[in-house]
Every structure is written in structure tokens, then in C-alpha cells.
């Protein structure tokens, strides 16, 4: 049981820390330090890996939380974070990329829809950060 508790702590820390580092440090630095014509393609190439990271650490956190009897909140929050990343990576990101390409080709309507879908992805990511942080705090108090 102690191993599962340690693995839960590591997985939750990796989940929360990864989301926080990417959202608050990495992505903003890319757009402030690289020219826009390089930043866009670079971040587009990184996003699938970022979401895969969140999926893996989210599911690992949920599995280890279940094995460590961490409680429903920690397990379900981790699983929700992982599932939201599956949706974002496999559905929403593809839509965003296609809309951005159409916008850059001159499609004004696609630009408005791109902004809306991008805003949704930011909201999802923010909620994931909050859920991962809350799960980590709940686990620490456990």
C-alpha cells in the first residue's frame, strides 16, 4: 500500500506540475521569444505531446489513487483530467488546427470559430489545472 501511496503522490505531482509548467511558463515563452511564423508551427507540433503527457499522468494518477484507496475525489478528478485531454487532443485540437489554417488562408468566418474553439481549449486546460491541483491538495491532506 505504501508503494501505491508514493506512486499516487508522484503521478499527481507530475500531472499538476506538467500542466502548470506548460501553461504558465512554456507556452507563453514560446510566443514571446520566437517570431510568430515560428512560434505557431512549433507550438502546434508540441501540443500533441503535451496532451499525451496529461493523458498518461492523469490515468496513472487515477489508477494509483484507486490502488492506494485515495478516495473518490482524487480518483475521479484525475480521470476527468485525462479524459478531457483525450477529447482535446483527438477532437478539439484537430478542429482548431483546421480552422487556423483556413483563417490564415483568408477565411474570416473560420477565424471567428478558431477564436471560439481556442477559448474552449484554454478553459478546459484551466479546469484541468484546477482539478489536478485540487486532487493533489486532497491527497496531501489524506
Amino acid at each position: 500500500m505504501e508503494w501505491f501511496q508514493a506512486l499516487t503522490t508522484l503521478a499527481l505531482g507530475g500531472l499538476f506540475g506538467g500542466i502548470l509548467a506548460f501553461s504558465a511558463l512554456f507556452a507563453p515563452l514560446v510566443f514571446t521569444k520566437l517570431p510568430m511564423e515560428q512560434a505557431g508551427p512549433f507550438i502546434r507540433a508540441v501540443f500533441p505531446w503535451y496532451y499525451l503527457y496529461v493523458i498518461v499522468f492523469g490515468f496513472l494518477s487515477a489508477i494509483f489513487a484507486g490502488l492506494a484507496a485515495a478516495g473518490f475525489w482524487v480518483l475521479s478528478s484525475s480521470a476527468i483530467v485525462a479524459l478531457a485531454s483525450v477529447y482535446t487532443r483527438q477532437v478539439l485540437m484537430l478542429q482548431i488546427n483546421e480552422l487556423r489554417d483556413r483563417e490564415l488562408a483568408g477565411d474570416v468566418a473560420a477565424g471567428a470559430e478558431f477564436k471560439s474553439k481556442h477559448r474552449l481549449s484554454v478553459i478546459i486546460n484551466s479546469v484541468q489545472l484546477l482539478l489536478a491541483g485540487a486532487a493533489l491538495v486532497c491527497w496531501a491532506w489524506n
Side-chain angles (χ1 to χ4, degrees), residues 3-16:
W3 277 102
F4 295 133
Q5 291 174 337
L7 291 171
T8 302
T9 303
L10 289 172
L12 284 170
L15 179 63
F16 177 72

Side-chain angles (χ1 to χ4, degrees), residues 12 70 73-74 132-142:
L12 284 170
W73 173 253
V74 175
L136 185 58
V137 168
C138 285
W139 174 244
W141 284 345
N142 187 5

Side-chain angles (χ1 to χ4, degrees), residues 43-112:
I43 205 78
R44 185 185 276 201
V46 171
F47 263 117
W49 295 101
Y50 164 69
Y51 288 122
L52 184 60
Y53 175 92
V54 176
I55 291 166
V56 168
F57 272 82
F59 282 131
L60 284 175
S61 295
I63 291 165
F64 293 143
L67 293 171
F72 179 76
W73 173 253
V74 175
L75 191 153
S76 61
S77 295
S78 300
I80 289 168
V81 169
L83 290 171
S85 280
V86 170
Y87 166 75
T88 305
R89 183 179 195 265
Q90 299 304 120
V91 177
L92 190 57
M93 184 178 65
L94 300 176
Q95 293 172 349
I96 289 169
N97 290 343
E98 190 251 332
L99 289 165
R100 181 66 173 154
D101 292 342
R102 285 179 32 209
E103 178 187 28
L104 293 173
D107 185 343
V108 176

